[in-house]
Short mmCIF file of all heavy atoms in Angstrom, two decimals:
data_model
loop_
_atom_site.label_atom_id
_atom_site.label_comp_id
_atom_site.label_asym_id
_atom_site.label_seq_id
_atom_site.Cartn_x
_atom_site.Cartn_y
_atom_site.Cartn_z
N MET A 1 120.47 100.58 78.49
CA MET A 1 121.02 101.21 79.68
C MET A 1 120.84 100.30 80.88
O MET A 1 119.87 99.59 80.99
CB MET A 1 120.32 102.54 79.94
CG MET A 1 120.67 103.60 78.94
SD MET A 1 120.02 105.25 79.25
CE MET A 1 119.07 105.16 80.70
N HIS A 2 121.78 100.38 81.76
CA HIS A 2 121.72 99.60 82.98
C HIS A 2 121.02 100.38 84.08
O HIS A 2 121.01 101.61 84.07
CB HIS A 2 123.13 99.25 83.46
CG HIS A 2 123.78 98.25 82.57
ND1 HIS A 2 123.64 96.90 82.77
CD2 HIS A 2 124.55 98.39 81.47
CE1 HIS A 2 124.30 96.27 81.84
NE2 HIS A 2 124.86 97.15 81.04
N GLN A 3 120.43 99.68 85.00
CA GLN A 3 119.76 100.29 86.13
C GLN A 3 120.73 100.39 87.30
O GLN A 3 121.58 99.53 87.48
CB GLN A 3 118.55 99.44 86.56
CG GLN A 3 117.54 99.23 85.47
CD GLN A 3 116.88 100.51 85.02
OE1 GLN A 3 116.56 101.37 85.82
NE2 GLN A 3 116.71 100.66 83.73
N ASN A 4 120.57 101.43 88.09
CA ASN A 4 121.35 101.55 89.33
C ASN A 4 120.79 100.55 90.34
O ASN A 4 119.60 100.26 90.34
CB ASN A 4 121.24 102.96 89.91
CG ASN A 4 121.88 103.98 89.01
OD1 ASN A 4 122.88 103.71 88.38
ND2 ASN A 4 121.29 105.16 88.94
N ASP A 5 121.66 100.06 91.21
CA ASP A 5 121.20 99.11 92.24
C ASP A 5 120.05 99.68 93.06
O ASP A 5 119.14 98.96 93.45
CB ASP A 5 122.34 98.72 93.16
CG ASP A 5 123.34 97.79 92.49
OD1 ASP A 5 123.00 97.23 91.44
OD2 ASP A 5 124.44 97.64 93.03
N SER A 6 120.06 100.99 93.30
CA SER A 6 119.00 101.60 94.11
C SER A 6 117.65 101.60 93.38
O SER A 6 116.62 101.72 94.01
CB SER A 6 119.38 103.03 94.49
OG SER A 6 119.49 103.84 93.33
N GLU A 7 117.66 101.45 92.07
CA GLU A 7 116.42 101.43 91.28
C GLU A 7 115.81 100.02 91.18
O GLU A 7 114.65 99.87 90.84
CB GLU A 7 116.69 101.94 89.87
CG GLU A 7 117.12 103.38 89.83
CD GLU A 7 117.51 103.81 88.44
OE1 GLU A 7 118.32 103.11 87.80
OE2 GLU A 7 117.01 104.86 88.00
N VAL A 8 116.60 99.01 91.48
CA VAL A 8 116.15 97.62 91.34
C VAL A 8 115.55 97.16 92.65
O VAL A 8 116.26 96.79 93.58
CB VAL A 8 117.31 96.70 90.91
CG1 VAL A 8 116.83 95.27 90.79
CG2 VAL A 8 117.90 97.18 89.59
N ARG A 9 114.23 97.20 92.73
CA ARG A 9 113.54 96.77 93.95
C ARG A 9 112.11 96.35 93.59
O ARG A 9 111.58 96.72 92.56
CB ARG A 9 113.55 97.88 94.99
CG ARG A 9 112.91 99.16 94.52
CD ARG A 9 113.00 100.24 95.61
NE ARG A 9 112.47 101.47 95.11
CZ ARG A 9 113.20 102.50 94.69
NH1 ARG A 9 114.50 102.43 94.72
NH2 ARG A 9 112.64 103.59 94.23
N ALA A 10 111.55 95.54 94.46
CA ALA A 10 110.16 95.11 94.27
C ALA A 10 109.26 96.32 94.48
O ALA A 10 109.65 97.25 95.16
CB ALA A 10 109.84 94.01 95.28
N PRO A 11 108.08 96.38 93.94
CA PRO A 11 107.39 95.31 93.21
C PRO A 11 107.66 95.30 91.71
O PRO A 11 107.25 94.38 91.04
CB PRO A 11 105.93 95.60 93.48
CG PRO A 11 105.87 97.09 93.53
CD PRO A 11 107.18 97.50 94.18
N GLN A 12 108.38 96.29 91.17
CA GLN A 12 108.60 96.34 89.73
C GLN A 12 109.64 95.32 89.27
O GLN A 12 109.51 94.73 88.21
CB GLN A 12 109.06 97.73 89.31
CG GLN A 12 109.23 97.88 87.82
CD GLN A 12 109.61 99.28 87.41
OE1 GLN A 12 109.84 100.14 88.25
NE2 GLN A 12 109.68 99.51 86.14
N TRP A 13 110.66 95.07 90.06
CA TRP A 13 111.77 94.23 89.65
C TRP A 13 111.78 92.89 90.36
O TRP A 13 111.33 92.76 91.49
CB TRP A 13 113.09 94.94 89.94
CG TRP A 13 113.28 96.15 89.09
CD1 TRP A 13 112.94 97.42 89.42
CD2 TRP A 13 113.79 96.21 87.77
NE1 TRP A 13 113.22 98.27 88.39
CE2 TRP A 13 113.75 97.55 87.37
CE3 TRP A 13 114.29 95.24 86.91
CZ2 TRP A 13 114.19 97.95 86.11
CZ3 TRP A 13 114.73 95.66 85.66
CH2 TRP A 13 114.68 97.00 85.28
N GLY A 14 112.36 91.92 89.71
CA GLY A 14 112.63 90.62 90.31
C GLY A 14 114.10 90.33 90.13
O GLY A 14 114.74 90.89 89.25
N TRP A 15 114.67 89.47 90.96
CA TRP A 15 116.09 89.17 90.84
C TRP A 15 116.40 87.77 91.34
O TRP A 15 115.57 87.12 91.95
CB TRP A 15 116.96 90.21 91.56
CG TRP A 15 116.61 90.41 93.00
CD1 TRP A 15 117.12 89.74 94.07
CD2 TRP A 15 115.66 91.33 93.53
NE1 TRP A 15 116.55 90.19 95.23
CE2 TRP A 15 115.64 91.17 94.93
CE3 TRP A 15 114.82 92.28 92.98
CZ2 TRP A 15 114.84 91.92 95.76
CZ3 TRP A 15 114.01 93.02 93.81
CH2 TRP A 15 114.03 92.84 95.19
N ILE A 16 117.61 87.33 91.06
CA ILE A 16 118.10 86.01 91.47
C ILE A 16 119.38 86.27 92.24
O ILE A 16 120.42 86.56 91.64
CB ILE A 16 118.37 85.12 90.24
CG1 ILE A 16 117.12 85.02 89.37
CG2 ILE A 16 118.84 83.74 90.69
CD1 ILE A 16 117.36 84.37 88.02
N PRO A 17 119.35 86.22 93.58
CA PRO A 17 120.51 86.60 94.38
C PRO A 17 121.77 85.76 94.15
O PRO A 17 122.86 86.30 94.08
CB PRO A 17 120.05 86.43 95.82
CG PRO A 17 118.57 86.43 95.77
CD PRO A 17 118.21 85.90 94.41
N GLU A 18 121.65 84.47 94.02
CA GLU A 18 122.83 83.61 93.84
C GLU A 18 122.57 82.65 92.68
O GLU A 18 122.36 81.46 92.87
CB GLU A 18 123.12 82.84 95.12
CG GLU A 18 123.52 83.75 96.26
CD GLU A 18 123.85 82.99 97.53
OE1 GLU A 18 124.33 81.85 97.44
OE2 GLU A 18 123.61 83.55 98.60
N PRO A 19 122.62 83.17 91.44
CA PRO A 19 122.30 82.32 90.28
C PRO A 19 123.40 81.30 90.00
O PRO A 19 124.55 81.48 90.38
CB PRO A 19 122.20 83.31 89.14
CG PRO A 19 123.10 84.42 89.55
CD PRO A 19 122.97 84.52 91.04
N ASP A 20 123.00 80.23 89.34
CA ASP A 20 123.95 79.25 88.83
C ASP A 20 124.94 80.01 87.93
O ASP A 20 124.53 80.86 87.14
CB ASP A 20 123.17 78.22 88.01
CG ASP A 20 124.02 77.20 87.32
OD1 ASP A 20 124.99 77.58 86.62
OD2 ASP A 20 123.73 76.01 87.46
N PRO A 21 126.24 79.75 88.03
CA PRO A 21 127.23 80.48 87.23
C PRO A 21 126.99 80.40 85.72
O PRO A 21 127.38 81.31 84.99
CB PRO A 21 128.55 79.81 87.60
CG PRO A 21 128.32 79.18 88.92
CD PRO A 21 126.87 78.80 88.94
N GLN A 22 126.35 79.35 85.23
CA GLN A 22 126.09 79.20 83.80
C GLN A 22 124.73 79.74 83.35
O GLN A 22 124.41 79.70 82.17
CB GLN A 22 126.23 77.73 83.40
CG GLN A 22 127.61 77.17 83.65
CD GLN A 22 128.68 77.93 82.88
OE1 GLN A 22 128.52 78.19 81.68
NE2 GLN A 22 129.75 78.31 83.54
N LEU A 23 123.94 80.24 84.30
CA LEU A 23 122.59 80.71 83.97
C LEU A 23 122.61 81.77 82.87
O LEU A 23 121.79 81.75 81.96
CB LEU A 23 121.90 81.28 85.22
CG LEU A 23 120.52 81.87 85.01
CD1 LEU A 23 119.55 80.79 84.56
CD2 LEU A 23 120.03 82.53 86.28
N TRP A 24 123.55 82.69 82.91
CA TRP A 24 123.61 83.79 81.94
C TRP A 24 123.64 83.26 80.51
O TRP A 24 122.96 83.78 79.63
CB TRP A 24 124.85 84.65 82.23
CG TRP A 24 124.96 85.82 81.35
CD1 TRP A 24 125.83 85.98 80.30
CD2 TRP A 24 124.19 87.02 81.39
NE1 TRP A 24 125.65 87.20 79.70
CE2 TRP A 24 124.65 87.85 80.36
CE3 TRP A 24 123.15 87.47 82.21
CZ2 TRP A 24 124.11 89.12 80.12
CZ3 TRP A 24 122.63 88.73 81.96
CH2 TRP A 24 123.10 89.53 80.94
N ARG A 25 124.41 82.23 80.26
CA ARG A 25 124.55 81.68 78.91
C ARG A 25 123.32 80.89 78.46
O ARG A 25 123.09 80.74 77.27
CB ARG A 25 125.79 80.78 78.82
CG ARG A 25 127.05 81.54 79.01
CD ARG A 25 127.35 82.36 77.79
NE ARG A 25 128.48 83.24 78.05
CZ ARG A 25 128.63 84.41 77.49
NH1 ARG A 25 127.73 84.85 76.64
NH2 ARG A 25 129.65 85.17 77.77
N ARG A 26 122.53 80.39 79.40
CA ARG A 26 121.35 79.59 79.05
C ARG A 26 120.10 80.42 78.80
O ARG A 26 119.11 79.89 78.29
CB ARG A 26 121.07 78.58 80.16
CG ARG A 26 122.10 77.49 80.28
CD ARG A 26 121.61 76.38 81.19
NE ARG A 26 121.11 76.85 82.46
CZ ARG A 26 121.79 76.82 83.60
NH1 ARG A 26 123.03 76.38 83.63
NH2 ARG A 26 121.24 77.24 84.72
N ILE A 27 120.09 81.68 79.18
CA ILE A 27 118.88 82.50 79.05
C ILE A 27 118.44 82.56 77.59
O ILE A 27 119.22 82.91 76.71
CB ILE A 27 119.10 83.92 79.60
CG1 ILE A 27 119.37 83.88 81.09
CG2 ILE A 27 117.88 84.81 79.29
CD1 ILE A 27 119.76 85.22 81.68
N SER A 28 117.17 82.20 77.36
CA SER A 28 116.56 82.27 76.03
C SER A 28 115.05 82.19 76.21
O SER A 28 114.56 82.02 77.32
CB SER A 28 117.04 81.10 75.16
OG SER A 28 116.54 79.88 75.65
N GLU A 29 114.32 82.30 75.10
CA GLU A 29 112.86 82.17 75.20
C GLU A 29 112.48 80.80 75.72
O GLU A 29 111.53 80.66 76.48
CB GLU A 29 112.22 82.42 73.84
CG GLU A 29 112.24 83.87 73.42
CD GLU A 29 111.51 84.10 72.11
OE1 GLU A 29 110.59 83.33 71.78
OE2 GLU A 29 111.87 85.07 71.42
N GLY A 30 113.23 79.78 75.33
CA GLY A 30 112.93 78.41 75.77
C GLY A 30 113.42 78.10 77.17
O GLY A 30 112.95 77.17 77.80
N THR A 31 114.38 78.90 77.65
CA THR A 31 114.96 78.68 78.99
C THR A 31 115.06 80.03 79.70
O THR A 31 116.15 80.58 79.85
CB THR A 31 116.36 78.04 78.88
OG1 THR A 31 116.29 76.92 78.01
CG2 THR A 31 116.87 77.59 80.23
N PRO A 32 113.94 80.59 80.11
CA PRO A 32 113.99 81.90 80.78
C PRO A 32 114.58 81.78 82.19
O PRO A 32 114.53 80.72 82.81
CB PRO A 32 112.52 82.32 80.85
CG PRO A 32 111.76 81.03 80.81
CD PRO A 32 112.57 80.08 79.99
N ALA A 33 115.16 82.87 82.65
CA ALA A 33 115.64 82.96 84.03
C ALA A 33 114.52 83.59 84.85
O ALA A 33 114.16 84.74 84.62
CB ALA A 33 116.90 83.81 84.10
N ARG A 34 113.95 82.85 85.76
CA ARG A 34 112.83 83.34 86.56
C ARG A 34 113.32 83.93 87.88
O ARG A 34 114.18 83.35 88.54
CB ARG A 34 111.86 82.20 86.83
CG ARG A 34 111.32 81.62 85.55
CD ARG A 34 110.02 80.87 85.75
NE ARG A 34 109.60 80.25 84.51
CZ ARG A 34 108.96 80.89 83.52
NH1 ARG A 34 108.69 82.16 83.65
NH2 ARG A 34 108.62 80.24 82.43
N ALA A 35 112.77 85.08 88.23
CA ALA A 35 113.14 85.74 89.49
C ALA A 35 112.76 84.87 90.67
O ALA A 35 111.71 84.24 90.68
CB ALA A 35 112.44 87.09 89.59
N THR A 36 113.64 84.83 91.66
CA THR A 36 113.37 84.08 92.88
C THR A 36 113.11 85.01 94.07
O THR A 36 112.67 84.55 95.11
CB THR A 36 114.55 83.15 93.23
OG1 THR A 36 115.73 83.93 93.39
CG2 THR A 36 114.76 82.11 92.14
N HIS A 37 113.37 86.30 93.89
CA HIS A 37 113.14 87.29 94.94
C HIS A 37 112.54 88.55 94.31
O HIS A 37 112.65 88.74 93.10
CB HIS A 37 114.46 87.66 95.64
CG HIS A 37 114.97 86.57 96.51
ND1 HIS A 37 115.50 85.41 96.01
CD2 HIS A 37 115.00 86.46 97.85
CE1 HIS A 37 115.87 84.63 97.00
NE2 HIS A 37 115.56 85.25 98.14
N GLY A 38 111.94 89.38 95.13
CA GLY A 38 111.28 90.58 94.61
C GLY A 38 110.02 90.18 93.88
O GLY A 38 109.23 89.39 94.38
N ASN A 39 109.84 90.68 92.68
CA ASN A 39 108.67 90.33 91.87
C ASN A 39 108.96 89.01 91.16
O ASN A 39 109.54 88.97 90.09
CB ASN A 39 108.40 91.45 90.85
CG ASN A 39 107.15 91.18 90.04
OD1 ASN A 39 106.61 90.09 90.05
ND2 ASN A 39 106.70 92.19 89.33
N THR A 40 108.54 87.92 91.76
CA THR A 40 108.83 86.58 91.24
C THR A 40 108.01 86.23 89.99
O THR A 40 108.21 85.16 89.41
CB THR A 40 108.64 85.51 92.32
OG1 THR A 40 107.31 85.59 92.82
CG2 THR A 40 109.64 85.69 93.45
N ALA A 41 107.13 87.12 89.56
CA ALA A 41 106.41 86.90 88.30
C ALA A 41 107.28 87.30 87.10
O ALA A 41 106.95 86.98 85.96
CB ALA A 41 105.12 87.71 88.29
N ARG A 42 108.42 87.96 87.35
CA ARG A 42 109.30 88.42 86.28
C ARG A 42 110.23 87.31 85.83
O ARG A 42 110.62 86.44 86.59
CB ARG A 42 110.16 89.61 86.75
CG ARG A 42 109.42 90.81 87.27
CD ARG A 42 108.73 91.60 86.21
NE ARG A 42 109.58 91.99 85.11
CZ ARG A 42 109.80 93.23 84.73
NH1 ARG A 42 109.26 94.23 85.38
NH2 ARG A 42 110.55 93.49 83.70
N SER A 43 110.60 87.36 84.55
CA SER A 43 111.59 86.44 84.01
C SER A 43 112.33 87.13 82.87
O SER A 43 111.82 88.07 82.26
CB SER A 43 110.95 85.14 83.52
OG SER A 43 110.08 85.39 82.44
N ALA A 44 113.53 86.65 82.59
CA ALA A 44 114.34 87.18 81.49
C ALA A 44 114.41 86.14 80.40
O ALA A 44 114.66 84.97 80.66
CB ALA A 44 115.74 87.50 82.00
N GLU A 45 114.17 86.57 79.16
CA GLU A 45 114.22 85.67 78.01
C GLU A 45 115.35 86.01 77.07
O GLU A 45 115.55 85.35 76.05
CB GLU A 45 112.90 85.69 77.27
CG GLU A 45 111.75 85.19 78.12
CD GLU A 45 110.42 85.22 77.39
OE1 GLU A 45 110.34 85.86 76.32
OE2 GLU A 45 109.48 84.63 77.89
N ARG A 46 116.07 87.09 77.36
CA ARG A 46 117.21 87.47 76.53
C ARG A 46 118.24 88.17 77.40
O ARG A 46 117.91 88.73 78.44
CB ARG A 46 116.79 88.35 75.36
CG ARG A 46 116.09 89.62 75.75
CD ARG A 46 115.53 90.30 74.51
NE ARG A 46 114.55 91.26 74.92
CZ ARG A 46 114.73 92.58 74.92
NH1 ARG A 46 115.88 93.07 74.51
NH2 ARG A 46 113.81 93.38 75.33
N ARG A 47 119.49 88.10 76.96
CA ARG A 47 120.59 88.69 77.71
C ARG A 47 120.80 90.14 77.26
O ARG A 47 120.48 90.50 76.14
CB ARG A 47 121.86 87.89 77.46
CG ARG A 47 121.76 86.47 77.95
CD ARG A 47 123.05 85.72 77.76
NE ARG A 47 123.44 85.57 76.37
CZ ARG A 47 123.14 84.53 75.61
NH1 ARG A 47 122.42 83.54 76.09
NH2 ARG A 47 123.56 84.46 74.36
N CYS A 48 121.36 90.93 78.13
CA CYS A 48 121.74 92.31 77.82
C CYS A 48 122.83 92.28 76.76
O CYS A 48 123.88 91.65 76.96
CB CYS A 48 122.23 92.99 79.10
SG CYS A 48 122.94 94.61 78.83
N ARG A 49 122.63 92.92 75.63
CA ARG A 49 123.61 92.88 74.54
C ARG A 49 124.94 93.50 74.94
O ARG A 49 125.99 92.99 74.56
CB ARG A 49 123.06 93.57 73.31
CG ARG A 49 121.97 92.78 72.65
CD ARG A 49 121.51 93.42 71.38
NE ARG A 49 120.43 92.65 70.80
CZ ARG A 49 119.81 92.97 69.70
NH1 ARG A 49 120.17 94.04 69.04
NH2 ARG A 49 118.84 92.23 69.24
N SER A 50 124.94 94.57 75.71
CA SER A 50 126.19 95.20 76.08
C SER A 50 126.97 94.37 77.10
O SER A 50 128.18 94.46 77.19
CB SER A 50 125.99 96.62 76.61
OG SER A 50 125.20 96.60 77.76
N CYS A 51 126.28 93.52 77.87
CA CYS A 51 126.95 92.64 78.84
C CYS A 51 127.39 91.34 78.20
O CYS A 51 128.17 90.59 78.77
CB CYS A 51 126.01 92.31 80.01
SG CYS A 51 125.65 93.70 81.06
N ASP A 52 126.89 91.04 77.04
CA ASP A 52 127.11 89.76 76.39
C ASP A 52 128.32 89.75 75.47
O ASP A 52 128.48 88.88 74.65
CB ASP A 52 125.87 89.36 75.61
CG ASP A 52 125.73 87.86 75.46
OD1 ASP A 52 126.32 87.13 76.25
OD2 ASP A 52 125.03 87.43 74.53
N VAL A 53 129.19 90.74 75.59
CA VAL A 53 130.35 90.84 74.70
C VAL A 53 131.52 90.10 75.29
O VAL A 53 131.72 89.99 76.43
CB VAL A 53 130.77 92.30 74.48
CG1 VAL A 53 131.45 92.41 73.15
CG2 VAL A 53 129.64 93.26 74.57
#
């Protein structure tokens, strides 16, 4: 399930406001996407399956 924009906020969430356009395709355990705003300790190691179609 996706989160509503109003639910995505620090300190629980981290985000990348202006990511590189190819970042989505590179996300993996070896190349995590690290949050640059909000909770910067967060990172993504896998893509959302429903968004990856």
Side-chain angles (χ1 to χ4, degrees):
M1 290 185 359
H2 289 272
Q3 302 296 319
N4 294 325
D5 287 345
S6 64
E7 296 174 309
V8 179
R9 58 182 176 259
Q12 183 177 6
W13 293 93
W15 55 90
I16 305 170
E18 295 181 31
D20 176 309
Q22 298 301 313
L23 177 64
W24 183 255
R25 294 286 172 211
R26 291 192 310 260
I27 295 173
S28 68
E29 287 184 28
T31 310
R34 301 201 184 279
T36 59
H37 288 72
N39 183 347
T40 57
R42 303 288 307 238
S43 64
E45 297 179 347
R46 58 189 163 106
R47 297 183 296 267
C48 172
R49 288 184 182 179
S50 62
C51 291
D52 207 21
V53 207

